[in-house]
Amino acid sequence: MKEIIIIFVSLLLSVPLFAADEVRFTGAPLERSSQNESNAAIDRATDWLLSQQNKKGYWGDEDQLLTAVATLAIAGSNSEIRKTPQIKKAIDWLKSPTCTSNKTVQIKAILWREIALTVLAPNAINIRLPRICESTGKIRYALYEIIFLRKYKDGELPYLQNLQNYRPQPDGVIFLSYYKKNSYIESAMETLAKEWSASNDIPKEWKEDAEMAWWYAHAINRAFNGEIYLKKNGTVTPVDWRVPLANYWTTTQTMDAKGRGNWKNSILETAFAILLLSEL
């Protein structure tokens, strides 16, 4: 993944973002593939995540990143769940003062906290983010997600990447989904479609990393209403990515003795797997 340096200044939120109660954490609501199996896997994983939550509302050792992503996974698309005691505690914990040291893991945690609060409690957004100078792709994805969710427009924030000379890569669709009018977006989408076709299965990264798989699915839903396709000799061929991906992640879930499900016995992986399945 190409190294990109981003310097980011403070974000200030002046108006609520969501008028409706229900907020689906995706770019475009789509009918899910393998609906019943996905829902069952999500329910099992939700039960497992809740069993891992501390009584004070957080996950891990007062881990901001785990808490933000787990809370989003469980309640991001359901306003009723947000009213339950466990999730209310999690949201209240996320609202509390947090560390802002300029270290990669802490910056990622802070950005995900901001994403979670933007979706779950937009009126609580009133803090200054740290300046960011990082080369990690996932940090940049999270940064752009905040910009998109808070409805900032081109030119309103300094130091954003100039996309005019962007050369599409498979992950280019993630960046360019925030700039739908950019001339490179179709090319980036086709690059991604070629990667799927060349794999004759599911591209490796989509199977090994739930977070990356979610970023891709999230971007495809936002930019293309869930469709990617190949063009050859004037023929357009859709790529069936949703059904194989849903089937893979539902069948790789590990069950515990109480019928709860997780992935890799990991809070973070399980939370991102829920977000991924919710996109399909």
Side-chain angles (χ1 to χ4, degrees):
M1 199 170 290
K2 296 172 68 176
E3 290 195 350
I4 305 166
I5 296 179
I6 298 176
I7 301 177
F8 184 61
V9 296
S10 306
L11 292 175
L12 297 176
L13 184 70
S14 58
V15 295
L17 295 181
F18 304 107
D21 287 334
E22 293 293 332
V23 179
R24 184 165 192 250
F25 190 44
T26 183
L30 297 175
E31 184 176 342
R32 297 177 192 160
S33 304
S34 306
Q35 184 77 56
N36 292 337
E37 292 82 357
S38 293
N39 283 347
I42 289 170
D43 289 344
R44 291 190 296 266
T46 296
D47 289 343
W48 185 83
L49 280 182
L50 289 173
S51 74
Q52 305 297 308
Q53 186 184 22
N54 184 277
K55 292 181 180 179
K56 293 184 179 180
Y58 57 80
W59 275 264
D61 184 16
E62 298 190 72
D63 192 304
Q64 189 175 199
L65 176 61
L66 293 184
T67 303
V69 180
T71 307
L72 261 179
I74 294 169
S77 301
N78 192 317
S79 60
E80 290 303 311
I81 292 179
R82 294 174 210 174
K83 300 174 185 177
T84 61
Q86 281 181 273
I87 297 305
K88 286 180 68 176
K89 284 184 179 180
I91 294 173
D92 287 343
W93 187 85
L94 287 169
K95 291 179 183 178
S96 63
T98 55
C99 176
T100 57
S101 297
N102 195 26
K103 295 181 180 178
T104 299
V105 65
Q106 291 169 332
I107 288 174
K108 184 176 181 181
I110 291 165
L111 292 176
W112 270 100
R113 171 183 180 267
E114 292 302 292
I115 292 173
L117 290 179
T118 301
V119 173
L120 301 172
N123 291 332
I125 303 298
N126 190 29
I127 70 167
R128 297 172 65 86
L129 295 179
R131 291 174 62 86
I132 295 172
C133 183
E134 292 290 337
S135 60
T136 304
K138 292 177 185 177
I139 286 179
R140 185 168 182 261
Y141 303 156
L143 170 63
Y144 270 47
E145 187 69 20
I146 293 170
I147 292 170
F148 185 91
L149 288 173
R150 295 186 183 180
K151 302 185 185 301
Y152 282 92
K153 298 177 182 179
D154 292 342
E156 288 186 342
L157 295 172
Y159 309 120
L160 295 184
Q161 181 196 21
N162 181 347
L163 296 178
Q164 296 303 312
N165 299 317
Y166 182 82
R167 294 184 179 182
Q169 300 292 326
D171 68 326
V173 70
I174 298 175
F175 300 141
L176 297 177
S177 65
Y178 303 102
Y179 296 87
K180 293 183 181 181
K181 296 181 180 180
N182 187 280
S183 60
Y184 286 126
I185 193 166
E186 286 290 327
S187 180
M189 183 272 288
E190 188 171 3
T191 302
L192 192 61
K194 288 178 180 178
E195 184 182 72
W196 265 82
S197 297
S199 72
N200 294 317
D201 178 31
I202 298 173
K204 184 177 179 182
E205 195 171 26
W206 295 64
K207 296 192 293 185
E208 294 185 346
D209 187 340
E211 180 178 356
M212 276 307 306
W214 174 76
W215 278 118
Y216 281 130
H218 191 53
I220 291 169
N221 278 350
R222 174 173 287 155
F224 311 114
N225 288 333
E227 296 181 3
I228 58 176
Y229 50 84
L230 290 170
K231 291 181 180 179
K232 187 175 182 179
N233 299 326
T235 301
V236 176
T237 305
V239 175
D240 182 12
W241 65 277
R242 289 152 58 96
V243 171
L245 198 60
N247 290 343
Y248 175 82
W249 282 94
T250 55
T251 56
T252 55
Q253 187 181 53
T254 300
M255 305 280 285
D256 67 13
K258 294 185 178 181
R260 300 173 300 210
N262 69 79
W263 285 267
K264 301 180 183 178
N265 201 35
S266 163
I267 292 170
L268 196 62
E269 188 80 356
T270 299
F272 274 115
I274 291 174
L275 289 172
L276 172 61
L277 289 174
S278 297
E279 292 279 351
L280 303 176

